[in-house]
Amino acid sequence: MHWFSYGVATLAAAGIIGIGTMYLTRPRVMTRNFGLPLPAEGQNTTWWLRLKGSRDIVSGLIVLALMVLSTPFVLGVVLLIDAITPLSDMTTILAAKGSTGTALGVHGLTAALMVAAAIALIIGVA
């Protein structure tokens, strides 16, 4: 189970860093894949979208740092807390009547994998 938990943590961290980088460099393109309709075009819309990118990158870097510098228990707790983000994304998309496939297949699956890995790390199975 160790390989699963650290594998999920690595994929989640690398994935969110990659997504964050794309939000910084191509924010409009990334919003099309999120599952919600594009936000209204405005003078500052792109800058607001880039804020998501920087926060995503930081989230991934925290997980990578904990993988190297901390215990499996602490990593598990942080992964469990971080799983709130894709869970929140999923529920927001569903509530807004966005793409159900993206909500469940991307955000929901990501949250489920993160929770499974976190639980294994917390209870010491990993």
Side-chain angles (χ1 to χ4, degrees):
M1 198 66 158
H2 181 79
W3 61 269
F4 169 77
S5 297
Y6 275 83
V8 168
T10 302
L11 288 175
I16 201 64
I17 289 169
I19 288 168
T21 301
M22 290 298 293
Y23 265 98
L24 287 176
T25 60
R26 304 195 60 189
R28 284 290 183 181
V29 171
M30 289 305 295
T31 54
R32 289 185 189 98
N33 300 320
F34 191 79
L36 287 173
L38 288 171
E41 185 62 50
Q43 181 178 0
N44 294 315
T45 303
T46 299
W47 295 110
W48 282 103
L49 294 171
R50 286 187 173 129
L51 287 175
K52 178 187 175 347
S54 61
R55 285 163 172 73
D56 285 351
I57 291 169
V58 169
S59 293
L61 291 174
I62 289 169
V63 170
L64 290 177
L66 289 174
M67 287 176 66
V68 174
L69 301 172
S70 191
T71 65
F73 179 83
V74 172
L75 176 61
V77 170
V78 171
L79 273 182
L80 191 59
I81 293 167
D82 276 352
I84 294 169
T85 300
L87 182 62
S88 174
D89 292 346
M90 179 190 76
T91 57
T92 300
I93 292 167
L94 292 173
K97 307 280 191 257
S99 169
T100 301
T102 301
L104 299 174
V106 175
H107 304 287
L109 181 60
T110 299
L113 288 171
M114 290 174 73
V115 167
I119 289 171
L121 289 164
I122 291 168
I123 64 174
V125 176

